[in-house]
Amino acid sequence: SLSVCVCVCVVARSPRVNNEKQTSGFNTGMRPVIYSEKEFGKSGLGWTRVAANSISYFHNAHRRANNGVRVSLEVKKDDAKRNTLNPVLVDGVGSSDSDANITVAEDDEDNDPNSPEATPIHNPNTISASITKPKPIYPKPNTTQESEIASASHPPAEGEGGGGREGDASAANPAGNTNADTTRLLPGNTNANSDTYYTLSMSFSFPHEDDDARIAYFYPYTYSFNRAFLSSLQRDKRVSQMMFRQALCRTRGQNVVELLTVTDFECTEVPIIDRPIVFLSSRVHPGEANASWVMKGLLEYLTGSSKEAIYLRKKIVFKIIPILNPDGVINGNYRCNLSGLDLNRHWEYPCPERHPTIYAVKELISTLSRQRPILLYCDFHGHSIMKNCCLYGCSQEQEVKPVRAEEIPNIKPFGYTAGVDPEAEPEEPLSMLTQWKGKERVFPMLLAHRAPDMLSFSDCKFSVLKRKKGSARVVFWRELRIWNSYTMECSFCGSDFGPLKDQHYGLEDYQRLGAKFCQSIFDWISPDRSAVIRAIQDVTKYLSGLDRERRKKKHRPAVVRVPTHRKGSTASASRKSGPGSRKSKS
């Protein structure tokens, strides 16, 4: 949850400060979204991107303590309330993870821009969106597509929004000014990497007076909207025969974590007990609402009537958790649960009392892995800094050699066992692809082929960092040997390549990505091996390029530069006046 400064006409207010990342997507043109009651009643337009007149993200003078609680350098008695975090962290219940303690409620009375304490912001490092006059809050979309939620009559808190692509992502950032290296340091703070908080400030004008307007970091996707969406799927008789909905567990706030099972329960071609598992989850970080929009598109496609979806339901059992952290979603947290903990850092040793949701999920996946193969695990996330979408996988090899060209045509369908391929014998060994050390890169390449305007394969990473050892993808890869264990990262902003370059992603883009995810799984297990062979060839080309770059660096001669000092320079003078100089001896 981010606290932003809102200017109504020329009135501004100093923002509340609790941001921890050193930079933000707002530095590269990203804009927040706004909902106006009057605009919705007038034109039916729901949530839409706002054209901010100025926006900046910079250091402030609030220093972080070791336990993650903010400490102000100048604290007055009147400011005590403003300089504290939420009660969960103030009471000392929190994680040692620095990125876990940034929880702030969205509905905060201190953010009222009409407060008498409001003061103007004077920040030199603002990114001006318009020099002559402010742009309208609702820029005209370049497409006629709107989310089906935009025209709904229910309250805006339930997640309705305009969601179409509106202009480009650099509309608030003319001349390509990324502001990446212009972070403002306040007096007394000269270290750009110091443990201080960061401030996000912006200003814009509202078009209507006496209006009830709401501002959000991204198009909302609430817990209640998710339940309404799942209920609408269940009311369809056709979908109800292929989707089973149940409660997995309850959170610390006694909210239900829902588990969906999607498969063809009536097909006898492959018995259900012999079908492998694909396990998907999202919203372990509750503020990453774009992950839910991807999951929504995935569910709509998977329960649809396309031939790919029908094939997937016959061959695979999908276990899906749409919202893994309901408490955080309901209470407006950005990254934590009610204990103030980042759940995606505690998969290694989850506690049933403090982390009941991930404890139940890990128990479920562990049990399933002993009964049948798990082909893939993927946890959907949103990324607040980068552009594009990508997959993070796991690889133990630092350098992966490309597969030989003559071996590519002999590769059998990925991971086919007796349960996946009806014609295969039960004793069939794993395919050669499972023995290749670059196998975890094949599925990301398949998805890059299916979504070439959103997913960037060059942004995909497969290293296992020490600080990520408690994340879901690393734990399931290391403990359960799920070598296709991924984290999908989706930008809140947009792409920096292809036809969507410099445009904000719309809701239809995220939902389309969810459908492409299912289509990539179909390409992965389909008897037609053309898509897999093409993906392996492209991965081989990519790895060959990296291998050539490594060899060039390895054989590149080292250049040693000997520093030279001019006569009479400071360095020469200090040398002459040193302890061994004649002058010092005399």
Side-chain angles (χ1 to χ4, degrees):
S1 302
L2 295 177
S3 301
V4 300
C5 169
V6 178
C7 291
V8 182
C9 296
V10 295
V11 180
R13 139 150 229 203
S14 298
R16 237 168 82 173
V17 180
N18 66 330
N19 305 310
E20 295 190 353
K21 293 191 175 182
Q22 295 183 8
T23 185
S24 169
F26 289 108
N27 284 340
T28 58
M30 190 177 77
R31 296 176 293 172
V33 294
I34 188 171
Y35 175 87
S36 169
E37 288 282 0
K38 285 193 174 182
E39 190 66 30
F40 180 74
K42 179 181 178 181
S43 61
L45 182 63
W47 289 95
T48 184
R49 296 280 183 179
V50 62
N53 299 334
S54 63
I55 184 169
S56 60
Y57 188 87
F58 53 90
H59 265 105
N60 58 52
H62 297 288
R63 192 169 294 159
R64 284 182 283 167
N66 292 332
N67 61 354
V69 179
R70 175 161 55 92
V71 178
S72 177
L73 299 183
E74 296 181 2
V75 180
K76 301 178 181 180
K77 292 183 178 180
D78 297 338
D79 297 332
K81 180 181 178 181
R82 215 175 305 147
N83 290 328
T84 57
L85 285 177
N86 60 72
V88 173
L89 299 181
V90 173
D91 291 340
V93 181
S95 170
S96 60
D97 299 337
S98 62
D99 57 351
N101 300 324
I102 52 175
T103 304
V104 175
E106 289 180 348
D107 298 328
D108 196 328
E109 296 179 357
D110 289 343
N111 289 332
D112 180 13
N114 297 319
S115 169
E117 297 179 348
T119 56
I121 291 180
H122 300 286
N123 181 14
N125 292 328
T126 57
I127 305 176
S128 177
S130 176
I131 300 177
T132 56
K133 61 179 181 179
K135 288 188 176 182
I137 284 187
Y138 306 108
K140 185 178 180 180
N142 56 12
T143 66
T144 57
Q145 298 178 350
E146 287 189 354
S147 170
E148 65 277 8
I149 307 170
S151 58
S153 58
H154 51 69
E158 298 303 318
E160 71 281 18
R165 279 195 298 275
E166 303 170 22
D168 55 50
S170 60
N173 191 10
N177 180 15
T178 61
N179 200 31
D181 298 322
T182 57
T183 304
R184 186 181 71 167
L185 299 179
L186 296 183
N189 183 5
T190 59
N191 183 8
N193 296 320
S194 62
D195 290 335
T196 59
Y197 283 96
Y198 294 78
T199 297
L200 169 66
S201 67
M202 64 185 69
S203 63
F204 52 87
S205 302
F206 290 99
H208 304 290
E209 295 182 357
D210 300 326
D211 187 16
D212 182 8
R214 307 181 186 186
I215 304 169
Y217 187 83
F218 189 76
Y219 300 102
Y221 194 103
T222 62
Y223 179 75
S224 55
F225 175 74
N226 179 71
R227 291 176 64 90
F229 167 66
L230 297 180
S231 298
S232 67
L233 290 179
Q234 274 191 317
R235 286 193 292 269
D236 189 327
K237 292 183 179 180
R238 184 186 61 85
V239 176
S240 63
Q241 296 176 357
M242 65 185 72
M243 187 183 79
F244 180 67
R245 182 182 177 188
Q246 65 187 117
L248 175 65
C249 65
R250 286 190 176 271
T251 65
R252 295 198 68 182
Q254 296 305 307
N255 295 300
V256 176
V257 176
E258 300 202 64
L259 171 66
L260 307 178
T261 303
V262 180
T263 192
D264 192 335
F265 292 99
E266 299 179 353
C267 178
T268 58
E269 181 180 350
V270 179
I272 296 179
I273 192 63
D274 293 333
R275 299 176 194 174
I277 299 290
V278 169
F279 207 106
L280 308 173
S281 62
S282 66
R283 295 298 285 277
V284 67
H285 294 153
E288 297 168 358
N290 52 353
S292 285
W293 290 107
V294 176
M295 183 66 77
K296 181 177 182 291
L298 184 146
L299 284 171
E300 289 177 338
Y301 183 86
L302 191 59
T303 57
S305 56
S306 65
K307 63 177 184 179
E308 292 89 352
I310 295 173
Y311 185 86
L312 288 173
R313 294 195 298 265
K314 289 181 178 179
K315 302 295 183 180
I316 295 176
V317 176
F318 289 85
K319 296 286 186 178
I320 301 173
I321 299 181
I323 295 182
L324 196 51
N325 188 353
D327 288 348
V329 174
I330 293 172
N331 289 277
N333 295 358
Y334 183 78
R335 199 172 178 89
C336 310
N337 67 346
L338 289 185
S339 300
L341 301 174
D342 182 350
L343 293 178
N344 203 37
R345 296 296 180 267
H346 294 84
W347 286 93
E348 202 170 11
Y349 304 106
C351 173
E353 287 78 22
R354 301 183 73 190
H355 329 106
T357 57
I358 64 173
Y359 179 86
V361 171
K362 188 176 182 180
E363 285 291 310
L364 175 61
I365 297 181
S366 301
T367 302
L368 291 173
S369 65
R370 292 190 292 267
Q371 299 173 354
R372 63 184 80 179
I374 297 181
L375 295 186
L376 179 144
Y377 171 82
C378 188
D379 192 20
F380 294 177
H381 287 253
H383 206 292
S384 61
I385 298 176
M386 75 171 196
K387 289 188 176 181
N388 311 324
C389 301
C390 66
L391 287 174
Y392 293 161
C394 300
S395 176
Q396 198 170 7
E397 303 295 330
Q398 297 297 327
E399 297 184 6
V400 179
K401 295 182 179 180
V403 64
R404 294 192 299 271
E406 61 271 14
E407 295 177 335
I408 292 178
N410 299 324
I411 292 179
K412 297 178 181 180
F414 154 75
Y416 265 28
T417 62
V420 181
D421 188 359
E423 299 179 359
E425 295 296 330
E427 295 80 16
E428 181 188 33
L430 293 177
S431 67
M432 193 201 73
L433 180 57
T434 62
Q435 306 302 323
W436 182 39
K437 294 180 180 179
K439 55 186 177 293
E440 65 282 337
R441 291 165 167 82
V442 175
F443 180 77
M445 183 61 77
L446 287 171
L447 185 55
H449 288 166
R450 283 286 189 172
D453 56 344
M454 296 185 68
L455 193 125
S456 172
F457 184 80
S458 60
D459 290 335
C460 297
K461 296 180 176 60
F462 302 92
S463 59
V464 181
L465 302 179
K466 185 176 180 180
R467 60 187 175 90
K468 301 287 187 178
K469 67 178 182 178
S471 63
R473 69 173 173 96
V474 175
V475 170
F476 293 146
W477 168 76
R478 180 172 289 154
E479 296 183 7
L480 304 181
R481 302 301 180 185
I482 304 175
W483 50 269
N484 290 292
S485 181
Y486 301 104
T487 296
M488 175 182 275
E489 294 284 357
C490 301
S491 172
F492 282 100
C493 188
S495 294
D496 60 8
F497 71 100
L500 299 183
K501 182 179 180 180
D502 294 333
Q503 294 187 26
H504 282 98
Y505 290 149
L507 297 186
E508 72 277 4
D509 295 317
Y510 292 104
Q511 296 177 74
R512 178 169 54 87
L513 181 62
K516 297 299 182 182
F517 191 93
C518 294
Q519 294 172 6
S520 301
I521 299 177
F522 170 80
D523 293 338
W524 206 16
I525 68 170
S526 173
D528 183 6
R529 309 310 300 148
S530 59
V532 172
I533 291 175
R534 181 191 169 200
I536 296 174
Q537 291 173 340
D538 288 350
V539 171
T540 298
K541 292 178 182 178
Y542 182 80
L543 293 176
S544 299
L546 295 181
D547 191 49
R548 285 193 297 268
E549 290 295 328
R550 281 194 293 264
R551 282 198 294 255
K552 287 181 181 179
K553 293 181 180 179
K554 185 176 181 180
H555 295 90
R556 187 176 299 166
V559 178
V560 180
R561 295 185 178 181
V562 179
T564 58
H565 303 282
R566 295 181 179 179
K567 186 176 181 180
S569 63
T570 305
S572 300
S574 61
R575 248 193 336 266
K576 292 180 180 179
S577 60
S581 63
R582 295 181 180 178
K583 186 176 180 180
S584 61
K585 288 181 180 180
S586 61

